[in-house]
C-alpha cells in the first residue's frame, strides 16, 4: 500500500497509537513484535517499520519517567512514615523494575510514532 504523505500525518494520533503499541498509520496492526522489536510492516495497512531505529531514546525516556515517579514517592514515604531500611529495599527496587518493564515498550512505541509522523527513517546517513 502507499504511505500517507508526511504533511498529512497527525503527530498526536501517531504518538497515542505508539503509546498503545499499535500502528501509527492505521491504529489497527501491532507496532512491536515480542517485547521491543518493531514489526517489519503493519499487517493491517502495510506501512513499513522494520527499518526504523529508535536507539537510545526509549530507555532515556523510560529512565526520566520512572525517576520522576519513584524518587518523589520514596522521599514522601520516608518523610511521612520513617520506615526501616529493609522496607525501602523491598519496595523501591521492585517498583522501579516493574515500572521500567511496563513503560519501556510504550516509550519505544511513542518514539517510533514520532519518527513515523515526521518521516524519519531512523538510520544514520553514510
Amino acid at each position: 500500500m502507499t504511505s500517507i504523505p508526511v504533511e498529512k500525518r497527525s503527530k498526536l494520533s501517531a504518538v497515542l497509537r505508539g503509546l498503545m503499541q499499535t500502528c501509527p498509520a492505521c491504529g489497527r496492526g501491532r507496532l512491536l513484535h515480542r517485547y521491543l522489536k518493531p514489526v517489519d510492516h503493519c499487517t493491517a495497512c502495510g506501512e513499513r517499520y522494520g527499518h526504523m531505529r529508535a536507539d537510545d531514546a526509549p530507555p532515556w525516556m523510560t529512565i526520566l519517567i520512572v525517576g520522576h515517579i519513584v524518587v518523589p514517592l520514596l522521599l514522601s514515604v520516608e518523610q511521612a512514615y520513617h520506615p526501616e531500611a529493609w522496607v525501602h529495599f523491598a519496595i523501591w527496587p521492585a517498583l522501579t523494575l516493574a515500572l521500567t518493564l511496563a513503560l519501556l515498550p510504550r516509550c519505544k512505541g511513542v518514539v517510533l510514532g514520532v519518527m513515523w509522523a515526521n518521516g524519519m527513517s531512523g538510520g544514520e546517513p553514510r
Side-chain angles (χ1 to χ4, degrees):
M1 271 192 110
T2 60
S3 180
I4 300 170
V6 176
E7 303 83 33
K8 295 188 179 196
R9 295 178 183 178
S10 169
K11 290 168 184 44
L12 179 61
S13 66
V15 166
L16 293 175
R17 289 173 178 170
L19 184 65
M20 300 305 294
Q21 300 176 36
T22 59
C23 172
C26 68
R28 293 187 308 264
R30 292 188 50 92
L31 181 59
L32 300 175
H33 172 66
R34 295 188 186 167
Y35 184 62
L36 289 176
K37 184 172 177 16
V39 296
D40 287 331
H41 63 279
C42 175
T43 55
C45 69
E47 187 72 38
R48 299 185 47 81
Y49 299 107
H51 65 285
M52 292 180 146
R53 292 180 34 201
D55 292 338
D56 294 336
W60 174 84
M61 188 183 303
T62 303
I63 290 168
L64 185 73
I65 294 169
V66 170
H68 279 84
I69 293 171
V70 172
V71 172
L73 284 175
L74 186 147
L75 293 174
S76 297
V77 168
E78 176 59 34
Q79 288 180 344
Y81 303 108
H82 304 294
E84 297 291 329
W86 69 268
V87 174
H88 285 301
F89 290 133
I91 294 173
W92 305 116
L95 179 64
T96 302
L97 181 63
L99 283 172
T100 300
L101 291 176
L103 289 175
L104 187 57
R106 285 154 184 79
C107 288
K108 184 156 186 173
V110 167
V111 170
L112 290 175
V114 168
M115 290 173 67
W116 175 82
N118 290 311
M120 301 167 65
S121 67
E124 295 181 14
R126 297 182 184 235

